[in-house]
Amino acid sequence: MSDKYRIVLREDEIPKRWYNALPDLKTPLAPPLHPGTHQPIGPADLALLFPMELIKQEMSPEPWIEIPNDVLEIYKLWRPSPLHRAYNLEKALKTKARIYYKNESLSPAGSHKVNTAIPQAYYNKQEGVKKLTTETGAGQWGSALSFACNIFGLVCEVFMVKVSYQQKPYRKNLMQVWGATVHASPSNLTNSGRKILEADANSLGSLGIAISEAVEVAVSDPSAKYTLGSVLNHVLLHQTVIGLETKEQLKLAGEKKVDAIIACVGGGSNFAGIALPFLKDKYANPDMKLIAVEPMSCPSLTKGDFRYDFGDTVGLTPLVKMYTLGHSFMPPGIHAGGLRYHGTAPLLANLVKDKIVEAKAYHQTECFEAAVLFAKAEGILPAPESSHAIKAAIEEAKTGGEKVIVFNLSGHGNFDLASYEAYLSGKLTDYEYPKESVEEALKNLPCIE
Ligand SMILES: *Cc1c(COP(=O)(O)O)cnc(C)c1O
């Protein structure tokens, strides 16, 4: 038996292990390559950037990885998160579908990102690291990491994409409350930042540039390491706590099978978090859909190429095989800041390539329309990123039938009211990233087969 609207688990029902999908892939993941030599890299190559325990997780053949007790204890501040049955949204849509959403907006920083910020800070602390650097787009990852560093007594230095730094000061303030130092990127603190500013003094920045800066600072300080809020296998691994809980909650709700699991994609971590624990269900039932949703203005999965590319703009990170728009991709200033990345998680790209996951893209105004409908029905203001999942869930419900549809509400939009203001006053326009620009950017890629 469960409650009608909110299906909740107890603290002691937080999963004790993360699920690692690597051993369950149909096609093994292509190895990451050294940015200079183009040879496969090993643990030693990554040791400058990450602590050994995270590197082990990055390449682990084990299907289950124990969550440390200290991490579980901190997870209890916001986990298990509720699974909601969206009765009011169903009513508004006049659908027979049963729509559920997993609510990751209740975490300290307001999104799923703390699920990985905490273990990342924990393992770094364990291995004697004193300072963590990172990049952030709209500020969600930066604030999650700032909170985690504050918990473990680590220094936190964040490079925030300049356009967000200027347009969305409030998450910067949140990071500062938790004790982090925040720089607008490109900055003149790093060689990478100076190089970009020389070429374009008015550069608004991008995630790729901010990554270059954060990596450079970490590599030049022996007591510092770098962290990433998405894309890497270990980040996706930590997020599987979302889907593992969801599975238990759907059982409590009496659902025996799910027809669609939906989440938005920036780098792919919240999607992987909710969807990977259902991977074997998908193998057993090919009719089940795992739907990854991205913006039309940054369409890596739907318009990018599946090939090796750098994770950053300058070319400091290893080369990974993924769907990419080219690392020189300069995203338009759309509001779903957290989705503005040229690449995708290699693990997610692998599943899209193998047709296990299907990708969809929507325009931002139709997503905001869905977000407002959702906010009116369910009372929660979604993050602009999450609105892409809502839009796809609504479209899925409209296809008819008594389907069970589950989507991940990756975060709330309480810090994103400027973008709602733009939408409500009719100032938002749709933008479709042209295929020609993708082809142009892909010309700069190293040729590796
Ligand atoms: C960062 C972010 C995303 C996108 O990142 P993924 O790694 O793809 O999950 C989506 N929603 C919210 C609220 C975010 O903060």
Side-chain angles (χ1 to χ4, degrees):
M1 264 307 286
S2 73
D3 289 337
K4 184 175 169 192
Y5 289 93
R6 284 161 37 102
I7 301 133
V8 290
L9 300 170
R10 293 188 316 267
E11 260 174 29
D12 65 0
E13 291 173 308
I14 297 175
K16 304 291 180 292
R17 303 178 303 175
W18 294 298
Y19 166 64
N20 175 22
L22 288 180
D24 292 330
L25 296 179
K26 302 265 189 208
T27 312
L29 216 56
L33 305 179
H34 189 279
T37 65
H38 297 183
Q39 293 306 306
I41 54 168
D45 297 298
L46 293 172
L48 216 51
L49 292 179
F50 305 111
M52 219 15 104
E53 201 51 42
L54 290 177
I55 296 171
K56 270 198 231 153
Q57 291 181 0
E58 191 63 22
M59 307 174 170
S60 176
E62 299 299 326
W64 294 99
I65 290 173
E66 208 79 24
I67 305 178
N69 276 331
D70 289 352
V71 171
L72 279 175
E73 200 53 35
I74 298 162
Y75 270 179
K76 287 178 190 168
L77 286 176
W78 70 97
R79 307 213 70 83
S81 69
L83 180 75
H84 301 245
R85 170 84 185 265
Y87 281 106
N88 293 336
L89 179 65
E90 291 169 18
K91 215 184 287 168
L93 295 171
K94 301 191 179 66
T95 176
K96 287 201 186 90
R98 299 197 287 284
I99 305 177
Y100 295 86
Y101 61 97
K102 180 70 165 161
N103 188 356
E104 292 299 308
S105 79
L106 300 169
S107 80
S111 79
H112 65 286
K113 292 206 172 70
V114 235
N115 299 330
T116 183
I118 293 294
Q120 289 193 47
Y122 168 81
Y123 291 117
N124 274 289
K125 176 81 181 181
Q126 288 292 95
E127 296 184 28
V129 174
K130 300 281 184 267
K131 169 167 138 182
L132 293 180
T133 71
T134 200
E135 72 292 332
T136 195
Q140 283 131 328
W141 167 242
S143 50
L145 188 74
S146 304
F147 174 71
C149 284
N150 146 74
I151 292 263
F152 289 105
L154 296 166
V155 175
C156 186
E157 195 169 336
V158 182
F159 288 86
M160 183 171 187
V161 178
K162 193 174 276 168
V163 61
S164 302
Y165 187 93
Q166 290 167 347
Q167 287 175 0
K168 302 177 176 174
Y170 297 131
R171 277 210 186 82
K172 173 187 73 184
N173 301 140
L174 186 61
M175 293 183 244
Q176 290 164 337
V177 163
W178 282 321
T181 305
V182 188
H183 311 290
S185 165
S187 75
N188 49 28
L189 298 168
T190 64
N191 290 331
S192 311
R194 286 188 290 268
K195 193 164 142 191
I196 299 287
L197 288 172
E198 261 162 44
D200 174 9
N202 299 318
S203 167
L204 292 177
S206 71
L207 267 184
I209 296 169
I211 294 174
S212 304
E213 293 205 89
V215 165
E216 197 182 311
V217 171
V219 168
S220 58
D221 177 350
S223 70
K225 295 242 185 275
Y226 167 71
T227 62
L228 196 57
S230 188
V231 177
L232 297 174
N233 299 336
H234 68 261
V235 180
L236 275 51
L237 170 81
H238 301 154
Q239 295 295 355
T240 58
V241 66
I242 301 172
L244 293 168
E245 285 177 8
T246 304
K247 276 198 122 161
E248 291 310 308
Q249 288 163 311
L250 285 168
K251 266 187 229 158
L252 280 180
E255 298 296 358
K256 297 205 170 49
K257 82 183 225 312
V258 184
D259 297 288
I261 302 273
I262 301 171
C264 67
V265 171
S269 76
N270 89 89
F271 174 83
I274 193 157
L276 291 180
F278 292 88
L279 191 57
K280 288 190 179 158
D281 303 76
K282 165 71 186 175
Y283 289 161
N285 169 20
D287 289 338
M288 180 183 180
K289 293 183 185 173
L290 305 177
I291 305 174
V293 195
E294 62 185 12
M296 283 278 193
S297 56
C298 188
S300 355
L301 293 171
T302 50
K303 278 195 190 160
D305 261 16
F306 183 65
R307 60 189 288 177
Y308 273 105
D309 194 4
F310 298 105
D312 68 329
T313 304
V314 176
L316 302 177
T317 69
L319 288 153
V320 292
K321 199 160 188 184
M322 59 183 176
Y323 282 94
T324 178
L325 299 168
H327 61 280
S328 59
F329 167 73
M330 195 38 90
I334 63 153
H335 281 286
L339 305 182
R340 236 183 284 157
Y341 182 60
H342 68 271
T344 42
L347 209 165
L348 170 59
N350 176 294
L351 292 169
V352 170
K353 182 75 183 162
D354 280 352
K355 301 199 160 43
I356 305 296
V357 169
E358 65 184 277
K360 292 197 169 161
Y362 291 106
H363 281 297
Q364 63 174 351
T365 51
E366 56 187 346
C367 292
F368 272 101
E369 194 184 329
V372 168
L373 176 69
F374 177 81
K376 285 181 165 170
E378 298 293 321
I380 302 174
L381 187 77
E385 291 86 354
S386 317
S387 72
H388 291 73
I390 299 172
K391 171 66 183 167
I394 292 173
E395 289 306 311
E396 196 56 32
K398 282 187 184 160
T399 61
E402 282 194 32
K403 296 194 181 94
V404 175
I405 299 168
V406 182
F407 71 88
N408 197 20
L409 184 75
S410 51
H412 68 64
N414 297 356
F415 285 101
D416 302 287
L417 286 164
S419 50
Y420 279 90
E421 152 79 20
Y423 168 68
L424 293 172
S425 59
K427 290 198 197 101
L428 276 195
T429 48
D430 284 333
Y431 174 81
E432 191 166 344
Y433 192 66
K435 185 75 188 162
E436 303 81 71
S437 305
V438 182
E439 278 156 16
E440 192 54 40
L442 291 178
K443 281 192 196 142
N444 301 328
L445 258 59
C447 277
I448 301 163
E449 251 342 293

